[in-house]
């Protein structure tokens, strides 16, 4: 059984949805640990309430590489072989990406490659797109970049605010993140160039 480590920085709703999916066996994997870089992240309490091993590895005062070396050690000590970023607000260096080749996933609240980075929903509204959505992808060293596993569309309404659009996208995020993790843990994919093809 794959052992998943989830990295968060904040609210943790995607983390919670993955933990619930694993606990109810919709995902056949063990959530080995939830790690936050922010000791005040709300998601920490949620993970503890769900009975998941939870630790904080603060990034303050460390170089990115030093911080990541600590993360890698914590994850490897627990036998983690699949990492899910869930609202983890730091860009990864080769130290981390190289430690888990093709085994790091991320969720992003836009149809990548549109609107990478923070406040993607606000940028989509300001741009005036009529369709937004979310993306689950394998992670490489560029921000919100790497082979796409799953996407879902969410129509933009004329009266949307960043908050209302974010809310509708978030419920699709929870759905497709679970689907994408299932595809990966069940090994139902192959990567050809940039494309993730289902077996
Ligand atoms: C989500 O919108 C996710 O796509 C983005 O950050 C947000 C995290 O939300 N990367 P949560 O912490 O999972 O509730």
């Amino acid at each position: 059984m794959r052992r998943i480590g989830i990295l968060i920085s904040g609210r943790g709703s995607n983390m919670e949805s993955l933990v619930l999916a694993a606990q109810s066996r919709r995902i056949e994997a063990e959530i080995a640990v939830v790690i936050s870089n922010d000791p005040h992240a709300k998601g920490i309490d949620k993970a503890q309430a769900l009975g998941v091993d939870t630790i904080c590895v603060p990034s303050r005062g460390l170089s990115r590489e030093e911080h990541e070396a600590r993360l890698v050690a914590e994850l490897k000590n627990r036998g983690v072989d699949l990492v899910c970023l869930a609202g983890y607000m730091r860009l990864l260096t080769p130290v981390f990406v190289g430690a888990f080749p093709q085994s790091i996933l991320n969720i992003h609240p836009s149809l990548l490659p549109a609107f990478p980075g923070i406040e993607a929903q606000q940028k989509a509204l300001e741009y005036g797109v009529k369709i937004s959505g979310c993306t689950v992808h394998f992670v490489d060293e560029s921000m919100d970049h790497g082979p796409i596993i799953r996407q879902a569309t969410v129509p933009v309404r004329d009266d949307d605010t960043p908050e209302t659009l974010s809310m509708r996208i978030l419920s699709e995020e929870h759905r497709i993140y679970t689907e994408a993790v299932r595809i990966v843990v069940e090994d139902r994919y192959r990567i050809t160039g940039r494309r993730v093809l289902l077996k």
Side-chain angles (χ1 to χ4, degrees), residues 8-16 43 46 85-89 106-110 117 121 134-135 144 166 169-170 173-174 177:
I8 63 169
S9 298
R11 177 178 58 185
S13 73
N14 278 288
M15 172 279 298
E16 188 172 33
K46 287 184 185 159
L85 308 183
Y88 185 65
M89 300 303 284
N106 183 42
I107 177 91
H108 183 73
S110 77
Q121 304 94 330
C134 47
T135 305
D144 299 323
S166 299
I169 292 176
L170 192 64
E173 292 184 34
H174 297 162
Y177 212 172

Side-chain angles (χ1 to χ4, degrees), residues 39-61:
H40 306 296
K42 294 257 185 321
I44 294 270
D45 299 336
K46 287 184 185 159
Q48 279 170 352
L50 289 164
V52 180
D53 185 10
T54 306
I55 55 171
C56 179
V57 180
S59 41
R60 255 180 108 165

Side-chain angles (χ1 to χ4, degrees), residues 26-132:
R26 279 176 288 131
I27 294 174
E28 287 287 343
E30 182 88 23
I31 308 296
V33 66
V34 170
I35 303 183
S36 172
N37 64 311
D38 178 352
H40 306 296
K42 294 257 185 321
I44 294 270
D45 299 336
K46 287 184 185 159
Q48 279 170 352
L50 289 164
V52 180
D53 185 10
T54 306
I55 55 171
C56 179
V57 180
S59 41
R60 255 180 108 165
L62 300 178
S63 72
R64 281 166 65 197
E65 287 77 8
E66 283 167 343
H67 179 241
E68 288 183 4
R70 290 193 190 181
L71 288 178
V72 169
E74 295 287 0
L75 292 163
K76 297 274 180 192
N77 279 341
R78 290 170 174 81
V80 167
D81 58 8
L82 180 63
V83 177
C84 293
L85 308 183
Y88 185 65
M89 300 303 284
R90 289 170 67 87
L91 187 61
L92 299 173
T93 77
V95 169
F96 195 91
V97 177
F100 297 97
Q102 282 186 359
S103 301
I104 309 171
L105 309 187
N106 183 42
I107 177 91
H108 183 73
S110 77
L111 291 175
L112 290 173
F115 313 120
I118 58 165
E119 296 177 353
Q121 304 94 330
Q122 170 137 12
K123 288 180 196 157
L125 276 181
E126 282 167 4
Y127 195 94
V129 298
K130 300 298 182 193
I131 307 278
S132 187

